[in-house]
Structures are given as C-alpha cells and as structure tokens.
C-alpha cells in the first residue's frame, strides 16, 4: 500500500475511534442515561446465542467493537441489539452532535475506500475469498468493515414503548429455465455439507437438469430461500400510534421521560426449518430441489 494512502486511512480510522470515545464518555456521565439494555448476539452451533450485557461501561463499548470473530471469516460479526434511553433533561444536543460526527467519520472512511480500493483475492485456510476492502484488510486485518460502517441511530423523539423480537423473511426469486440451469451449473461441485457426497449430489443435479430441460421454455421457477433471522427492535414514539421498526445491529439512542415500557426482550434463537414443505405444498408449491430452493407452482 502506498504510504500516503496508509497515512490517510489511519487518520480517517482514528477519527472514528476518537469520536466514539467521546460518545462513550458522554454516556457514562451521571444523570445522562435513564435506562439501557444491550445484548451481544453470536452464532454458535447452529443457534443465535444471546447474552445480555449487564455493565453500563461494557454496553457503551459495543459501539467501538470492530473486531472480526475469526481471521478466516471477516464477514462473521457480533451484533448488539438494544437501546440507550437518555433522560430528557440531559445533554441531548451534545450527544446528538457526537452521533452525527461519528456517522460523518464513518462515511468519510467509506468514501475513501470506495475511491481507492481495488478488489483482490486473498487466500485463507477456508479457500480463496474476494475482499471488497483490501486496503482496510492490509492495514487492519482483524477489523471488520461491516462493523465499522454501521451507522448509529439517534432519535430526539421520546420513546414510550419498546419490544424486541427475532424476525425473518423468505426470499421468493423468479427464474427462467435458463437461469435455473445456470444455478445448477454453479452448484454442481458444491454438495450440501454432511448431507451428500459429491457424486450423489452431482447425480441429483444431473437428473434435475434433465427434468428442467423437458419443461416448456416459458416455465417460471421460483427459488424460495431463507433470509437470516435478525433481531428487530420496535419502538413507539410519543405522538405516533404506529411502531417504528429497526434492525438491531447496534443499540438505538433516544430520549425518554422515565416511563419507557419495555414489553419484550430478546432470547436465544435455535435454528428452525425455514422452508416448511408441508405448508408450501398446501399453498400449491411443488419442490423440485429443496437444497437449491427450486419450486414450481401447481
């Protein structure tokens, strides 16, 4: 990496860390936070394990956690659903200005990387992976860009009610026969782990390919694939009859008059069968291949 680029990158990254330190310091002052609740969520053995952070200091420190969970998987991160409810007579304007500064600093670093990055292949123990932020990877290999670029959300409106839950939406993508055949070709040497051998998988896909080629060219294949389960925070602000819903990657910051009613927290999530074939059959969906998510509508 060119030295001038490295110096600029380090300066932009340092600005983010410094502004987050200002926020942490502001939140830790007396008579600022009325109530807080922050969870740490990680993937463990096929589940989402939820741990409530009980220390105020540790809860405030989550804004500066940019570390990769594993050096072999820079996409895997911890997430921190939760909230900080600020007292309405506290330094709201000061904290709002700091949050804006943090987000501006995050955008500045992202713009710098968007301008100067060139995608490159990095070989790790799990195989080749394309890094979208190679400059960041070279300068700070254990920092996760997904964590760094998550912007903070602060609301000046007073929150009256709050709940947390897991939510998940399945994707329903339309594919032509030709598009489905390309997906088969791409997955031909990628059998589901611990379910099929390569030869078994290739035999299944060969039969599927032959079946699709016999269907009318105008046939529409639906690919029903699960999206990840994510924590959702619902907040009802003063003056609004509806719930505002947010994905819980980082704690929300808002004000309260001390009467915030939290109706539900977050608990561990065990993986469930996302695609229930019995229900899909009732709706008229016939499975062509469950692993690829291919279905036909009868």
């Amino acid at each position: 990496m060119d030295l001038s680029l490295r110096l600029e990158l380090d300066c932009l990254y340092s600005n983010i860390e410094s502004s987050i330190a200002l926020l942490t310091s502001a939140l830790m002052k007396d008579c600022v936070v009325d109530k807080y609740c922050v969870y740490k969520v990680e993937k463990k053995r096929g589940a989402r394990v939820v741990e409530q952070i009980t220390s105020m200091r540790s809860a405030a420190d989550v804004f500066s956690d940019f570390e990769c969970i594993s050096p072999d998987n820079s996409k895997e991160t911890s997430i921190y659903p939760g909230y900080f409810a600020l007292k309405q007579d506290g330094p709201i304007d000061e904290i709002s200005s700091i949050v804006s500064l943090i987000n501006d600093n995050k955008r500045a670093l992202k713009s710098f990387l968007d301008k100067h990055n060139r995608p490159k292949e990095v070989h790790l123990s799990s195989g080749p992976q394309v890094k979208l932020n190679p400059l960041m990877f070279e300068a700070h290999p254990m920092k996760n860009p997904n964590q760094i670029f998550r912007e903070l959300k602060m609301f000046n409106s007073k929150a009256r009610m709050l709940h947390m839950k897991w939510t998940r939406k399945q994707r329903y993508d339309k594919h032509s026969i030709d598009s489905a055949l390309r997906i088969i070709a791409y997955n031909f040497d990628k059998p589901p782990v611990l379910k099929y051998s390569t030869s078994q998988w290739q035999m299944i896909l060969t039969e599927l390919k032959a079946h699709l080629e016999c269907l009318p060219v105008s046939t529409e294949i639906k690919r029903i694939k699960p999206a990840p389960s994510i924590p959702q925070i619902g907040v009802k602000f003063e003056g609004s009859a509806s719930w505002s819903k947010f994905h819980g990657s980082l704690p929300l910051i808002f004000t309260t008059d001390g009467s915030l009613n939290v109706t539900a927290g977050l608990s561990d999530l065990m993986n469930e069968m996302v695609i229930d074939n019995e229900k899909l059959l009732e709706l008229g969906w016939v499975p062509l291949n469950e692993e690829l998510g291919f279905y036909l509508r009868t």
Side-chain angles (χ1 to χ4, degrees), residues 52 76 90 95 114 119 168 192 220 232 246 250 259:
Q52 185 169 355
E76 189 67 38
I95 293 177
D114 288 343
R168 173 181 56 212
E220 182 182 278
Q232 183 186 86
F246 307 94
L250 285 175
S259 60

Side-chain angles (χ1 to χ4, degrees), residues 66-232:
F66 302 145
E67 297 298 314
C68 297
I69 291 177
S70 164
D72 287 351
N73 187 355
S74 63
K75 293 183 179 180
E76 189 67 38
T77 67
S78 297
I79 56 176
Y80 298 99
Y83 63 89
F84 285 90
L86 309 181
K87 296 181 179 179
Q88 59 182 353
D89 57 352
I92 305 301
D93 291 341
E94 175 192 351
I95 293 177
S96 180
S97 296
I98 295 173
V99 169
S100 295
L101 177 62
I102 292 170
N103 290 334
D104 287 344
N105 288 337
K106 286 172 178 273
R107 293 185 198 114
L109 177 58
K110 188 175 188 307
S111 296
F112 170 83
L113 293 175
D114 288 343
K115 178 180 179 180
H116 296 288
N117 263 327
R118 297 292 180 271
K120 63 186 293 186
E121 191 175 84
V122 179
H123 290 272
L124 300 172
S125 62
S126 58
Q129 298 181 16
V130 174
K131 297 293 175 182
L132 299 180
N133 294 283
L135 292 181
M136 195 70 199
F137 182 80
E138 291 177 17
H140 303 281
M142 284 303 292
K143 304 297 181 185
N144 189 302
N146 291 335
Q147 294 279 68
I148 296 171
F149 299 144
R150 285 175 180 153
E151 295 194 6
L152 280 61
K153 293 184 174 68
M154 180 171 178
F155 310 90
N156 291 327
S157 302
K158 286 184 287 189
R160 296 187 293 110
M161 297 181 67
L162 180 143
H163 71 259
M164 286 182 260
K165 68 176 184 178
W166 289 97
T167 184
R168 173 181 56 212
K169 293 182 179 179
Q170 292 182 173
R171 290 166 26 213
Y172 291 78
D173 300 329
K174 297 178 181 178
H175 290 273
S176 64
I177 295 293
D178 185 58
S179 174
L181 291 174
R182 288 197 298 271
I183 293 172
I184 290 173
Y186 176 78
N187 288 279
F188 196 71
D189 59 349
K190 301 174 179 66
V193 177
L194 302 179
K195 191 167 184 180
Y196 301 107
S197 67
T198 299
S199 60
Q200 289 172 327
W201 177 244
Q202 291 180 349
M203 185 180 299
I204 290 170
L205 292 194
T206 299
E207 293 175 356
L208 176 61
K209 179 174 180 291
H211 177 60
L212 293 183
E213 289 173 338
C214 292
L215 297 175
V217 177
S218 60
T219 302
E220 182 182 278
I221 305 295
K222 190 76 82 170
R223 197 177 194 202
I224 306 175
K225 298 290 287 182
S229 295
I230 55 175
Q232 183 186 86

Side-chain angles (χ1 to χ4, degrees), residues 157-161 235-238 254-257 259-260:
S157 302
K158 286 184 287 189
R160 296 187 293 110
M161 297 181 67
V235 185
K236 189 173 286 188
F237 292 105
E238 189 174 75
F254 47 74
T255 60
T256 178
D257 60 5
S259 60
L260 177 65

